[in-house]
Amino acid sequence: MNILVCGLGLIGASLAKTLKKNTNHHIMGWNRTDSVAKRALADGVIDETGELEAMMPKADVTIVNFYPEAIAPFIKEHKDLFKKNSIVTDSCGIKTKICRELEKENFDFYFVGAHPMAGREVSGYDNSLDDLFDNASFICTPCDGIPRYISDALVGLAQEMGFARTVVTTPEHHDEMIAFTSQIAHVLACSYVLSPLAPYHAGYSAGSYRDVSRVARINADMWTELFIDNKEPLVREIDDLVSNLMKFKYCIVNEDANELCELMKKGNKIKEEIG
Amino acid sequence: MNILVCGLGLIGASLAKTLKKNTNHHIMGWNRTDSVAKRALADGVIDETGELEAMMPKADVTIVNFYPEAIAPFIKEHKDLFKKNSIVTDSCGIKTKICRELEKENFDFYFVGAHPMAGREVSGYDNSLDDLFDNASFICTPCDGIPRYISDALVGLAQEMGFARTVVTTPEHHDEMIAFTSQIAHVLACSYVLSPLAPYHAGYSAGSYRDVSRVARINADMWTELFIDNKEPLVREIDDLVSNLMKFKYCIVNEDANELCELMKKGNKIKEEIG
């Protein structure tokens, strides 16, 4: 199969490296800054690079790896170049906005939203890894009207690439879950290190500080788009979190040891049971 | 030197194991449930066990490893048994309440509060480790009136044990910093997993969920005491955190991309600069 990877940053280049390592497909690569694609070719990360006009019409699968706002415009702009009946997918962290926008179009290819669930606190081609997706989930969010065999094919490719788990769901359910498992964790890590005491933590911190604050190392521009594009579910999670924090505060202020202990036992039980 | 370790749970037994591994002192051990002390003796974790009446009078250093509420009562109850001019210390995670209570007493030994900063999500003798304190900080909070050479001796012992860093500060400053680096992180992890979506995270989560939620595995009884004993600093941290979360919420609700991006850049910069 011919696979075209558009955008060779952290995620795009990691996908290309994974495809090269674990599959025998022919991997084409394109990047807005051409020198990066040339390096990827020289590094053996892709088999071919060149103009979109030459590569898109022969790609059976095209994976678009841009910031969220750039994905739908790119696909619409190049809609006449994609191979007929081919699969076009993306890798960004929100799905509803993109999938619901693109399903309105009358493409003669199939757009299937996807989210390979891994990342790093650093970005760009130089930080891409061929094992970034080991143990990771691949979430596939087919738009309405996509034939089952098409999403099956994309899931099959993800399995071939070595993703540990694949999930097929609606864009809305994806976004709701991601608000909880990923976005709020980033909001929270940033909010945490904004405490006036953060600059003085050295000598007073151990694993809890390290882990809870880790994802405060964030690509602010990209996450700004992701957060605003996922406004409702994310605000719901912030509200839930603040409400739970206020329960803790209330117990502590009132020295209500029983209720405080119950809250923690509940949290502990959930974590023990669900991991 | 003769060192007596009272309480052979996770922290006490890990301290005993570290002392045995890295020093040549004679280590005595005592545990409320005697069978644990006997096992520690059989395992070579301590050199001697027996009655407090026999061991305390010969201990140059006594380390008390109980839940916070039990420490001061234990020391006061046994005050006539401690060796004259010896050092008595503890290992619990709050210092002001204990240090300020004990400095009022007219002991003929020296009480110096201490906090070896490491832990695990599991507790008890069976989970103790001889390398739990590798790379950890040892914080020492001498009460008013403690001669400098006494706290120096305790810090020296911590260095001999292999702690990566030692800090000497006031009980109040310790508690303020711990509210931020440790306590709020636990409150936050528990609050996070109390979201209605937590039970459905599988397949939708990666490193962010794993790290931010890790310390929701918590010893609820112990942390209830720690939180209430450190009420003011911890409530201040909860207030700061909620206020920062509300700033994020406000930006997202109003789709204020600039301000949202600024908040994240600020968080990112702090994390990059201070680790």
Side-chain angles (χ1 to χ4, degrees):
Chain A
M1 214 161 51
N2 292 324
I3 300 177
L4 171 59
V5 180
C6 293
L8 294 166
L10 174 71
I11 299 299
S14 294
L15 287 169
K17 285 179 177 178
T18 307
L19 283 161
K20 282 301 293 175
K21 191 170 82 169
N22 298 339
T23 79
N24 289 313
H25 300 298
H26 178 76
I27 312 302
M28 300 178 284
W30 181 87
N31 198 69
R32 204 168 292 268
T33 307
D34 189 43
S35 57
V36 174
K38 290 214 170 75
R39 280 177 59 205
L41 186 65
D43 294 346
V45 171
I46 54 174
D47 300 306
E48 180 183 346
T49 187
E51 300 294 322
L52 285 172
E53 289 72 13
M55 295 189 291
M56 287 175 83
K58 59 183 181 180
D60 303 295
V61 175
T62 303
I63 311 173
V64 181
N65 308 284
F66 299 152
Y67 278 22
E69 298 302 320
I71 292 167
F74 176 86
I75 291 171
K76 287 202 250 184
E77 184 185 338
H78 297 90
K79 66 179 177 192
D80 296 330
L81 284 173
F82 290 103
K83 183 175 174 178
K84 197 176 167 186
N85 295 326
S86 72
I87 298 178
V88 177
T89 184
D90 73 322
S91 62
C92 91
I94 50 127
K95 302 268 71 89
T96 306
K97 194 180 168 196
I98 290 169
C99 294
R100 294 303 172 215
E101 177 174 350
L102 291 178
E103 76 182 1
K104 284 186 231 143
E105 303 287 322
N106 227 340
F107 296 141
D108 58 4
F109 53 87
Y110 298 108
F111 176 76
V112 183
H115 184 189
M117 288 221 41
R120 299 185 70 190
E121 297 108 276
V122 286
S123 54
Y125 175 80
D126 290 324
N127 292 304
S128 63
L129 299 168
D130 68 6
D131 61 359
L132 183 63
F133 304 108
D134 288 4
N135 302 314
S137 279
F138 181 89
I139 307 178
C140 174
T141 60
C143 303
D144 288 349
I146 294 292
R148 171 71 184 267
Y149 71 91
I150 291 291
S151 52
D152 282 353
L154 187 59
V155 165
L157 179 62
Q159 284 163 346
E160 204 186 334
M161 289 170 76
F163 280 89
R165 184 163 183 160
T166 57
V167 176
V168 178
T169 189
T170 61
E172 286 76 12
H173 185 239
H174 168 277
D175 287 358
E176 185 184 35
M177 289 309 302
I178 291 306
F180 169 65
T181 59
S182 168
Q183 295 189 336
I184 187 76
H186 286 79
V187 168
L188 206 150
C190 279
S191 299
Y192 181 41
V193 298
L194 289 172
S195 162
L197 295 184
Y200 314 107
H201 82 89
Y204 297 91
S205 56
S208 311
Y209 172 79
R210 183 193 60 228
D211 285 359
V212 173
S213 68
R214 181 178 62 84
V215 290
R217 289 197 65 189
I218 198 168
N219 177 335
D221 294 310
M222 183 181 77
W223 286 91
T224 295
E225 292 186 10
L226 289 167
F227 288 169
I228 290 180
D229 284 348
N230 202 28
K231 183 170 155 170
E232 281 80 17
L234 181 53
V235 166
R236 220 153 45 223
E237 286 306 314
I238 296 178
D239 286 342
D240 280 347
L241 183 66
V242 167
S243 141
N244 288 328
L245 286 167
M246 296 312 283
K247 284 182 200 161
F248 273 92
K249 180 182 164 176
Y250 187 82
C251 293
I252 295 163
V253 166
N254 294 297
E255 303 189 10
D256 186 343
N258 286 341
E259 188 60 29
L260 182 57
C261 194
E262 276 312 305
L263 266 178
M264 276 187 274
K265 279 187 177 153
K266 207 167 149 189
N268 186 38
K269 188 163 176 273
I270 292 168
K271 182 66 186 161
E272 292 266 4
E273 285 178 1
I274 68 178
Chain B
M1 218 162 49
N2 291 324
I3 300 178
L4 171 61
V5 180
C6 294
L8 294 166
L10 175 71
I11 299 299
S14 294
L15 287 170
K17 286 180 177 177
T18 306
L19 283 161
K20 282 301 292 175
K21 192 171 80 168
N22 298 338
T23 79
N24 288 313
H25 301 298
H26 178 75
I27 312 303
M28 300 178 284
W30 180 86
N31 197 69
R32 204 168 291 270
T33 308
D34 189 44
S35 57
V36 174
K38 290 214 170 76
R39 279 177 59 206
L41 186 66
D43 294 345
V45 170
I46 54 175
D47 300 307
E48 180 183 346
T49 187
E51 299 295 322
L52 285 173
E53 288 71 14
M55 295 189 290
M56 287 174 85
K58 59 183 180 180
D60 302 294
V61 175
T62 303
I63 312 173
V64 181
N65 308 282
F66 299 152
Y67 277 23
E69 298 302 321
I71 292 167
F74 176 86
I75 291 171
K76 288 203 252 184
E77 183 185 338
H78 297 89
K79 67 179 178 190
D80 296 330
L81 284 174
F82 290 104
K83 183 175 174 179
K84 197 175 168 187
N85 295 326
S86 72
I87 298 178
V88 177
T89 185
D90 74 321
S91 62
C92 91
I94 50 126
K95 302 268 69 93
T96 306
K97 193 179 168 198
I98 290 168
C99 294
R100 295 305 173 213
E101 177 174 350
L102 292 179
E103 76 182 1
K104 285 186 231 145
E105 303 287 323
N106 227 340
F107 296 142
D108 57 4
F109 53 87
Y110 298 108
F111 176 76
V112 183
H115 185 189
M117 287 220 43
R120 300 186 69 191
E121 296 109 278
V122 285
S123 55
Y125 175 80
D126 290 325
N127 292 303
S128 63
L129 300 168
D130 68 6
D131 62 359
L132 183 63
F133 304 107
D134 288 5
N135 302 314
S137 280
F138 181 90
I139 307 178
C140 174
T141 61
C143 303
D144 288 348
I146 293 291
R148 170 71 184 268
Y149 72 90
I150 291 292
S151 52
D152 282 354
L154 187 59
V155 164
L157 179 62
Q159 285 164 345
E160 203 187 334
M161 289 171 77
F163 280 89
R165 186 164 183 159
T166 56
V167 177
V168 177
T169 190
T170 61
E172 286 75 13
H173 186 238
H174 167 277
D175 287 359
E176 185 183 35
M177 290 309 302
I178 291 306
F180 168 65
T181 60
S182 167
Q183 296 190 335
I184 187 76
H186 286 78
V187 168
L188 206 151
C190 279
S191 298
Y192 181 42
V193 300
L194 288 172
S195 163
L197 295 184
Y200 314 106
H201 83 88
Y204 296 91
S205 56
S208 311
Y209 172 79
R210 184 194 59 227
D211 284 0
V212 174
S213 67
R214 181 177 62 84
V215 289
R217 288 195 67 189
I218 199 169
N219 176 336
D221 294 309
M222 183 182 75
W223 286 91
T224 296
E225 292 186 11
L226 290 167
F227 288 169
I228 291 181
D229 283 347
N230 202 29
K231 183 170 156 172
E232 282 81 17
L234 181 53
V235 166
R236 219 153 46 223
E237 286 307 312
I238 295 178
D239 285 342
D240 281 346
L241 183 67
V242 167
S243 142
N244 288 328
L245 287 167
M246 294 313 282
K247 285 181 198 159
F248 273 92
K249 179 182 165 178
Y250 187 83
C251 293
I252 295 163
V253 165
N254 293 297
E255 302 188 10
D256 186 343
N258 286 339
E259 189 59 31
L260 181 57
C261 194
E262 277 311 305
L263 266 179
M264 275 187 275
K265 279 186 176 152
K266 207 167 149 190
N268 186 37
K269 188 163 175 271
I270 293 168
K271 183 67 186 160
E272 293 266 4
E273 285 177 2
I274 69 179

